[in-house]
Every structure is written in C-alpha cells, then in structure tokens.
Amino acid sequence: MEFDTKLIHGGISEDKTTGAVSVPIYMASTFHQQKIGENKYEYSRSGNPTREAVEKLIAELEGGTAGFAFASGSAAIDTVFSMFSAGDHFVIGNDVYGGTFRLIDAVLKRFGMTFTVVDTRDLAAVQAAITPETKAIYLETPTNPLLRVTDIAAVAKIAKAHHILSIIDNTFSSPYVQRPLEQGVDIVLHSASKYLGGHSDVIAGLVVTKDEALGEKIGYLQNAIGGILAPQESWLLQRGIKTLSLRMRAHLANAEAVFDYLANQPLVSKIYYPGDPDNPDYEVAKKQMHGFGAMISFELQDGLDPKQFVEQLHVITLAESLGALESLIEIPALMTHGSIPRDIRLKNGIKDELIRLSVGVEDQKDLLADLARGFNQLKGSQKNVSDSKIHSKA
C-alpha cells in the first residue's frame, strides 16, 4: 500500500471480532486465560489490543519491524536509554529538546552514563567523538528549536562502521516528511503528542526499531519499566494518525507562506527553516525530506522583546508543544528550553530573542494578519532598534 493508504488500513485497522472499522478501546486490566500460557493477552501492561493496534501501525509507517507506545515522548526516550549501562558513552546532538537535555543531565549522568555533545551536521566531529565505550549516536533532525538538519544516511553509516546504534528523534518531521529507518538508522523515536496525534488532546511517545532483536530488547524494557500508553490514549493516537497526510499537506503549505512573510519582515534578524534556499542545510533537507516540515524559528532584532510579540497574538496560540491543528508559538529560552542553563543555550545558538512557531492549518490570511499584529505592536514600542536597522530589509 502507498503511505496515505497505510494510514487508514495499516497495522490493525479494524476489530477482527465484530468488524468495527475503529479498533475498540479495551479498558481491561487483565484477560481471562482458558489455559495457562496460551493467551495472547494476559495483563495490559504487557499487552493490550488497542495499544497493539497503534504500535503495529507506526511500525508499518516507519518501515520498521516493531513499534512500541509509551505514556510520553520522554518515557520513550528513557526506556531506550535503559538498554545501556553505567560507563557507556554516547555522542549526542548539541541542539536537542530541553526535556531530553534534562533527562541526560539530571538523571542519566547520575547512573554513570557519559555524553559528548557535538554538532551532528559535522561528520568529522561525530567521528572524532566516538570512543571504545561509545554505544550510540543520538540526535534530532531537524533539531529543536534551531531546525538544523543532519545527513541521516551519513550518520547511520558512521554508526554501522563503529558497530554502534544510531537513534533519531523524528518528532519534528513525522513519517510523512522523513523515514530514518529507510536511511539506515536503528531506532526512531517520536513525541506522538505532536504531528502524529495532531489535535492537542493526547500525550504519547513511540519507538520503532528495524532489527527484530533490538525490538525484543525494547519490548522487554517496556514491560519491565511499565511506562506504557493507556488504551484511551492509544485509540486517540490511532485516530489522529489516520489524517496525518491531509494535515501535513496543509501544514507544509502554510509554513511556506509564513516563511515568505517573515523573510520580508524588517524586525526579524534571522530565520531558521529547512526550506530556506539560503540555509546551509537546504540541500541535505531537500535530499532526505518530503517537504520541509512546518516548524519555523526566528530571531527578533536585538532589543526587541519576544514576550511583547507573542502575547499580542490572537489566532496563533501562545503554548508549548507543536504539530497541532492550531498554530502554536513559544519562546524557547523561557519555555521549552528553560531547563537548559543560559550559558549553554547561548553557546548552542538559542538566543533570548528566539521565537519558535509551529505553523497550523488555519487560513493563511488569518495567520499572516496575526503575525502582522504582533510586529505592529513591536514597531509601536521598540526603543533599541534604530529606524535604519528596522528598514534595512525593506
């Protein structure tokens, strides 16, 4: 089946008992066993029909052999790292979600794991960071929040040459935009609360593996740790996935229009968007992505207050998260990446003036008018930007 058809009919798409075209929500905690050891389901932490449906669906969409659903993206990441032991070393991207940084810095390091942070676009730096103790390369692409794009196939090739794992957080793209397993990656993760769920009504995480033995390890840890996705949320997630292609086409079109608008806005000093032809990552993005995603980050001119901008918007919602039907905007330094110390944020390019925008599916005219409202507010209150600088892009 083609991808759009898989969204509807992939995995377990109907109830085999009744023929229901929507897999039921099986709220049972335990299951009647006619004979010991012969039931497919025994206890819902170990396996649940509703959760299994969404797990098989994401595995098929990503081109993997096994999928696993968790209570959140963070629970998914933590479970993957639970495969490893004290003394193991990891190469990690320098521009990752603040919650991932918090997990590594405040939790995993206490367990004796070590990490070397690099710009994963620099393949020589990735190579140089690998030691005999290195077990995996972990990265996001595009990254959060600076939308940096790493050559997935090249990193996967490096990992295989060193007999280590490659792990990619694919949240910003979804399998509609890119499928890292098809480019040689070992493990793909998602915060499924974002584009896969798509409706701001579910918290979920997903993991997909290519290798069956690796899938068995993740499955064992999922059951042992127990951070599983509940039946209600599993049903909501599968329902959301069915419309992924329809939503993504609208997301991508709106993002292009927003980028064009921001590129001609004099109060914007820099834009981070993989679809920008002037972006140094543009050619890599064009090679490995189906479209450029719908996340855009941009910096205001020095001296302008990002809070003053985001708090004036009416259509675009000031909120954390991304990938929803509604456009969402936030200030990484104060919100999603606030757990990262300021000196580290600045070193990695996350300035105080940075704004991250998740472009939704509203009418383009309303989105652009709302952005204009925010910029007009800044023009009326800006004090530290000279007139010549304001009009330098006009």
Side-chain angles (χ1 to χ4, degrees):
M1 293 184 288
E2 296 300 319
F3 186 81
D4 286 9
T5 308
K6 286 181 184 178
L7 292 171
I8 311 301
H9 299 289
I12 301 172
S13 57
E14 64 180 47
D15 182 50
K16 300 301 182 184
T17 303
T18 65
V21 296
S22 175
V23 175
I25 303 172
Y26 287 93
M27 294 300 292
S29 61
T30 192
F31 301 86
H32 182 189
Q33 302 181 47
Q34 299 293 339
K35 292 186 178 180
I36 295 175
E38 292 187 4
N39 268 39
K40 181 178 182 180
Y41 306 105
E42 298 173 353
Y43 188 65
S44 267
R45 172 168 45 76
S46 304
N48 177 278
T50 315
R51 190 175 83 237
E52 182 188 21
V54 77
E55 290 175 332
K56 287 189 177 297
L57 177 58
I58 191 59
E60 190 167 342
L61 296 177
E62 284 283 10
T65 59
F68 306 92
F70 297 87
S72 68
S74 294
I77 295 169
D78 184 54
T79 301
V80 168
F81 273 108
S82 294
M83 290 192 299
F84 305 104
S85 304
D88 288 345
H89 172 260
F90 305 88
V91 178
I92 187 166
N94 67 341
D95 183 20
V96 296
Y97 166 53
T100 302
F101 174 87
R102 180 175 56 231
L103 173 66
I104 290 169
D105 193 57
V107 180
L108 300 181
K109 285 183 178 179
R110 289 194 294 106
F111 296 158
M113 298 180 186
T114 61
F115 299 83
T116 298
V117 178
V118 301
D119 183 343
T120 53
R121 297 174 299 175
D122 184 344
L123 300 179
V126 173
Q127 285 268 21
I130 295 172
T131 72
E133 289 74 37
T134 304
K135 300 300 181 184
I137 303 170
Y138 180 97
L139 66 146
E140 299 174 9
T141 183
T143 62
N144 182 2
L146 296 178
L147 286 304
R148 295 166 177 158
V149 178
T150 293
D151 188 324
I152 295 172
V155 169
K157 185 177 180 181
I158 291 172
K160 282 181 170 50
H162 289 273
H163 305 289
I164 61 177
L165 296 178
S166 51
I167 306 168
I168 286 187
D169 184 333
N170 199 32
T171 298
F172 267 34
S173 294
S174 85
Y176 178 87
V177 173
Q178 70 183 14
R179 292 183 281 279
L181 294 183
E182 296 178 358
Q183 300 179 61
V185 168
D186 296 299
I187 299 175
V188 168
L189 306 105
H190 291 275
S191 172
S193 319
K194 315 305 194 285
Y195 287 107
L196 289 167
H199 292 75
S200 297
D201 59 5
V202 63
I203 299 293
L206 295 170
V207 174
V208 184
T209 63
K210 188 74 171 180
D211 179 73
E212 290 185 4
L214 196 55
E216 290 178 2
K217 290 182 180 179
I218 298 293
Y220 177 86
L221 290 168
Q222 181 192 44
N223 182 46
I225 297 170
I228 48 97
L229 190 62
Q232 174 80 19
E233 285 72 19
S234 297
W235 182 86
L236 282 170
L237 179 54
Q238 185 168 30
R239 184 189 66 168
I241 289 174
K242 289 179 184 293
T243 61
L244 178 65
S245 285
L246 294 172
R247 291 184 283 108
M248 290 306 298
R249 285 193 279 271
H251 281 299
L252 298 183
N254 278 356
E256 290 182 7
V258 168
F259 167 72
D260 290 340
Y261 173 83
L262 292 174
N264 292 287
Q265 173 50 247
L267 297 185
V268 173
S269 64
K270 191 170 185 178
I271 304 172
Y272 301 89
Y273 173 59
D276 180 357
D278 294 329
N279 189 318
D281 302 335
Y282 176 73
E283 292 300 328
V284 174
K286 190 167 65 170
K287 177 185 72 171
Q288 67 189 25
M289 299 174 73
H290 174 64
F292 298 106
M295 298 299 300
I296 299 176
S297 293
F298 58 96
E299 292 171 11
L300 300 178
Q301 295 282 8
D302 290 344
L304 295 178
D305 184 359
K307 287 177 62 178
Q308 205 161 43
F309 176 82
V310 300
E311 290 174 356
Q312 295 302 313
L313 303 177
H314 296 168
V315 174
I316 301 171
T317 302
L318 174 58
E320 298 193 13
S321 199
L322 57 103
L325 294 170
E326 58 273 4
S327 293
L328 302 172
I329 199 164
E330 61 104 12
I331 302 171
L334 300 178
M335 299 170 73
T336 55
H337 292 67
S339 60
I340 301 176
R342 187 171 185 269
D343 61 329
I344 297 178
R345 285 202 313 270
L346 293 176
K347 181 181 178 181
N348 291 333
I350 303 174
K351 296 184 177 180
D352 294 339
E353 295 84 5
L354 183 71
I355 293 172
R356 192 190 75 182
L357 172 61
S358 171
V359 183
V361 301
E362 300 93 343
D363 189 281
Q364 287 181 14
K365 292 180 180 179
D366 292 324
L367 288 176
L368 300 184
D370 205 34
L371 290 170
R373 180 183 295 110
F375 285 116
N376 286 336
Q377 173 67 22
L378 288 180
K379 287 178 182 177
S381 62
Q382 62 86 23
K383 298 177 181 179
N384 300 316
V385 181
S386 65
D387 289 341
S388 61
K389 192 170 186 180
I390 289 177
H391 299 292
S392 63
K393 289 187 179 181

